[in-house]
Protein backbone atom coordinates (compact mmCIF):
# COMPACT_ATOMS: atom_id res chain seq x y z
CA UNK A 1 0.00 0.00 0.00
CA UNK A 2 2.88 2.42 0.72
CA UNK A 3 4.95 2.88 -2.42
CA UNK A 4 8.71 2.37 -2.21
CA UNK A 5 10.72 5.13 -3.86
CA UNK A 6 14.39 4.63 -4.68
CA UNK A 7 17.09 7.09 -5.62
CA UNK A 8 20.78 6.55 -6.20
CA UNK A 9 21.56 6.49 -2.47
CA UNK A 10 18.20 6.26 -0.72
CA UNK A 11 15.20 4.02 -0.22
CA UNK A 12 11.96 5.66 0.92
CA UNK A 13 9.57 3.10 2.38
CA UNK A 14 6.84 2.62 4.93
CA UNK A 15 7.71 2.39 8.62
CA UNK A 16 7.84 -0.88 10.53
CA UNK A 17 7.81 -1.55 14.27
CA UNK A 18 11.51 -2.47 13.94
CA UNK A 19 12.21 1.18 12.96
CA UNK A 20 11.04 2.54 16.29
CA UNK A 21 14.36 2.72 18.17
CA UNK A 22 16.25 4.67 15.49
CA UNK A 23 13.20 6.88 14.84
CA UNK A 24 12.85 7.63 18.57
CA UNK A 25 16.57 8.38 18.81
CA UNK A 26 16.35 10.81 15.88
CA UNK A 27 13.37 12.67 17.40
CA UNK A 28 15.11 12.78 20.82
CA UNK A 29 18.07 14.67 19.31
CA UNK A 30 17.95 18.43 20.03
CA UNK A 31 19.79 19.11 16.75
CA UNK A 32 16.88 17.52 14.87
CA UNK A 33 14.05 19.15 16.81
CA UNK A 34 15.55 22.63 17.28
CA UNK A 35 13.42 23.98 14.40
CA UNK A 36 10.59 21.42 14.67
CA UNK A 37 8.69 22.14 17.84
CA UNK A 38 11.80 23.31 19.67
CA UNK A 39 12.21 20.38 22.03
CA UNK A 40 13.22 16.72 21.78
CA UNK A 41 10.42 14.17 21.64
CA UNK A 42 9.88 11.51 24.26
CA UNK A 43 9.68 7.88 23.18
CA UNK A 44 5.92 8.09 23.73
CA UNK A 45 5.64 11.11 21.42
CA UNK A 46 7.80 9.40 18.80
CA UNK A 47 5.64 6.27 18.99
CA UNK A 48 2.47 8.34 18.50
CA UNK A 49 4.05 10.14 15.53
CA UNK A 50 5.13 6.84 13.96
CA UNK A 51 1.62 5.41 14.43
CA UNK A 52 0.11 8.40 12.56
CA UNK A 53 2.05 7.61 9.41
CA UNK A 54 0.23 4.39 8.39
CA UNK A 55 -3.08 6.08 9.21
CA UNK A 56 -2.34 8.83 6.71
CA UNK A 57 -1.56 6.26 4.03
CA UNK A 58 -4.69 4.23 4.81
CA UNK A 59 -7.12 7.15 5.01
CA UNK A 60 -5.62 9.77 2.71
CA UNK A 61 -3.63 7.75 0.17
CA UNK A 62 -0.44 9.60 1.06
CA UNK A 63 1.81 10.01 4.07
CA UNK A 64 5.37 9.97 5.35
CA UNK A 65 8.14 7.63 4.31
CA UNK A 66 11.06 6.42 6.35
CA UNK A 67 14.25 7.32 4.50
CA UNK A 68 17.14 4.90 4.71
CA UNK A 69 20.57 4.86 3.15
CA UNK A 70 20.60 1.97 0.68
CA UNK A 71 24.27 1.10 1.21
CA UNK A 72 24.05 0.73 5.00
CA UNK A 73 20.33 0.50 5.83
CA UNK A 74 20.90 3.36 8.30
CA UNK A 75 18.01 5.72 9.12
CA UNK A 76 18.47 8.99 7.24
CA UNK A 77 15.17 10.54 8.34
CA UNK A 78 11.50 10.85 7.52
CA UNK A 79 9.67 12.90 4.92
CA UNK A 80 6.39 12.98 3.11
CA UNK A 81 2.98 14.56 2.80
CA UNK A 82 0.24 14.95 5.38
CA UNK A 83 -2.97 16.66 6.33
CA UNK A 84 -2.47 17.59 9.99
CA UNK A 85 -5.60 19.82 10.18
CA UNK A 86 -3.37 22.50 11.68
CA UNK A 87 -5.00 25.36 13.53
CA UNK A 88 -3.10 28.14 11.84
CA UNK A 89 -3.94 31.30 9.91
CA UNK A 90 -3.99 31.41 7.02
CA UNK A 91 -5.52 27.94 6.84
CA UNK A 92 -4.49 25.62 4.07
CA UNK A 93 -6.20 22.54 2.70
CA UNK A 94 -3.44 21.35 0.41
CA UNK A 95 -1.10 18.46 1.22
CA UNK A 96 1.67 19.59 3.56
CA UNK A 97 5.19 18.49 2.70
CA UNK A 98 7.50 17.89 5.63
CA UNK A 99 10.93 16.45 6.29
CA UNK A 100 13.31 15.74 9.16
CA UNK A 101 16.74 14.17 8.92
CA UNK A 102 18.95 12.57 11.52
CA UNK A 103 21.76 14.92 12.55
CA UNK A 104 24.45 12.71 10.96
CA UNK A 105 22.66 13.07 7.58
CA UNK A 106 22.55 16.89 7.52
CA UNK A 107 24.51 18.60 4.74
CA UNK A 108 25.01 15.49 2.58
CA UNK A 109 22.36 16.20 -0.06
CA UNK A 110 20.05 13.44 1.23
CA UNK A 111 17.13 15.80 1.80
CA UNK A 112 17.28 17.17 -1.73
CA UNK A 113 17.53 13.65 -3.16
CA UNK A 114 14.51 12.50 -1.14
CA UNK A 115 12.45 15.59 -2.02
CA UNK A 116 13.16 15.14 -5.72
CA UNK A 117 11.77 11.59 -5.56
CA UNK A 118 8.77 12.65 -3.47
CA UNK A 119 7.89 15.55 -5.73
CA UNK A 120 7.96 13.26 -8.78
CA UNK A 121 5.58 10.92 -6.92
CA UNK A 122 3.42 13.90 -5.88
CA UNK A 123 3.08 15.09 -9.48
CA UNK A 124 1.53 11.74 -10.39
CA UNK A 125 -0.54 11.48 -7.20
CA UNK A 126 -1.77 15.04 -6.58
CA UNK A 127 -1.77 16.28 -10.17
CA UNK A 128 -2.38 20.03 -10.32
CA UNK A 129 -2.85 20.55 -6.56
CA UNK A 130 -0.45 22.98 -4.89
CA UNK A 131 1.68 21.71 -2.00
CA UNK A 132 2.54 23.63 1.15
CA UNK A 133 5.22 23.45 3.84
CA UNK A 134 5.86 25.25 7.12
CA UNK A 135 9.39 26.22 8.12
CA UNK A 136 10.85 27.93 11.17
CA UNK A 137 12.28 31.31 10.03
CA UNK A 138 15.62 30.40 11.66
CA UNK A 139 15.94 27.16 9.69
CA UNK A 140 17.97 28.53 6.78
CA UNK A 141 18.93 25.09 5.36
CA UNK A 142 15.27 24.00 5.08
CA UNK A 143 14.24 27.33 3.58
CA UNK A 144 17.00 26.98 0.99
CA UNK A 145 15.94 23.38 0.29
CA UNK A 146 12.28 24.33 -0.14
CA UNK A 147 13.13 27.20 -2.48
CA UNK A 148 15.46 24.94 -4.51
CA UNK A 149 12.50 22.62 -5.04
CA UNK A 150 10.09 25.32 -6.20
CA UNK A 151 8.44 26.42 -2.94
CA UNK A 152 7.86 30.15 -2.50
CA UNK A 153 6.84 32.03 0.62
CA UNK A 154 3.18 33.00 0.74
CA UNK A 155 2.65 33.96 4.40
CA UNK A 156 4.24 34.48 7.78
CA UNK A 157 2.30 33.27 10.77
CA UNK A 158 2.61 31.67 14.19
CA UNK A 159 1.97 28.05 15.05
CA UNK A 160 1.63 27.03 18.69
CA UNK A 161 3.15 30.36 19.66
CA UNK A 162 6.23 30.09 17.45
CA UNK A 163 6.87 32.07 14.26
CA UNK A 164 6.65 30.13 11.01
CA UNK A 165 6.88 30.78 7.29
CA UNK A 166 4.36 29.14 4.98
CA UNK A 167 5.55 28.11 1.53
CA UNK A 168 3.58 26.95 -1.49
CA UNK A 169 4.69 24.96 -4.51
CA UNK A 170 2.54 25.20 -7.61
CA UNK A 171 2.44 22.16 -9.90
CA UNK A 172 4.75 22.23 -12.87
Amino acid sequence: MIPVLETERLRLRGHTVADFDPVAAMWADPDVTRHIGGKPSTREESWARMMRYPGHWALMGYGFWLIEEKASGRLVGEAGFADFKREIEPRFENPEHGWALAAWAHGKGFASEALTAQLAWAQDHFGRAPLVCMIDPDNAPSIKLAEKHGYTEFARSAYKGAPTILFRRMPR
Side-chain angles (χ1 to χ4, degrees):
M1 177 162 114
I2 301 172
V4 175
L5 308 180
E6 295 207 12
T7 68
E8 182 180 337
R9 300 180 296 163
L10 304 174
R11 180 174 298 106
L12 288 70
R13 61 169 177 77
H15 292 73
T16 68
V17 173
D19 298 318
F20 178 61
D21 285 335
V23 166
M26 180 186 84
W27 285 106
D29 185 338
D31 287 336
V32 172
T33 61
R34 177 176 56 240
H35 299 296
I36 307 171
K39 68 178 184 63
S41 296
T42 65
R43 286 179 63 81
E44 179 181 347
E45 290 165 336
S46 292
W47 180 254
R49 179 183 294 110
M50 204 171 96
M51 291 296 101
R52 262 197 325 241
Y53 298 147
H56 258 92
W57 284 105
L59 297 175
M60 305 297 292
Y62 58 90
F64 270 62
W65 287 270
L66 180 124
I67 307 168
E68 65 185 3
E69 185 180 39
K70 287 195 315 195
S72 67
R74 189 175 184 189
L75 172 75
V76 170
E78 299 174 326
F81 303 98
D83 180 353
F84 293 123
K85 303 288 186 206
R86 294 192 192 271
E87 295 184 10
I88 188 171
E89 291 296 332
R91 296 184 84 67
F92 52 85
E93 299 296 324
N94 302 100
E96 179 182 342
H97 198 180
W99 52 87
L101 268 60
W104 75 269
H106 293 178
K108 295 179 173 25
F110 289 135
S112 187
E113 194 171 322
L115 264 65
T116 297
Q118 291 176 334
L119 289 168
W121 178 88
Q123 185 69 36
D124 291 338
H125 188 78
F126 299 122
R128 305 287 307 154
L131 304 171
V132 297
C133 65
M134 292 177 35
I135 303 176
D136 180 318
D138 294 330
N139 191 346
S142 274
I143 291 170
K144 183 178 177 183
L145 178 69
E147 290 173 339
K148 175 182 177 179
H149 288 277
Y151 284 93
T152 57
E153 180 178 335
F154 74 91
R156 291 197 176 230
S157 189
Y159 181 67
K160 294 187 177 181
T164 191
I165 304 173
L166 301 177
F167 292 84
R168 181 180 294 126
R169 182 181 191 273
M170 301 307 287
R172 295 180 177 182

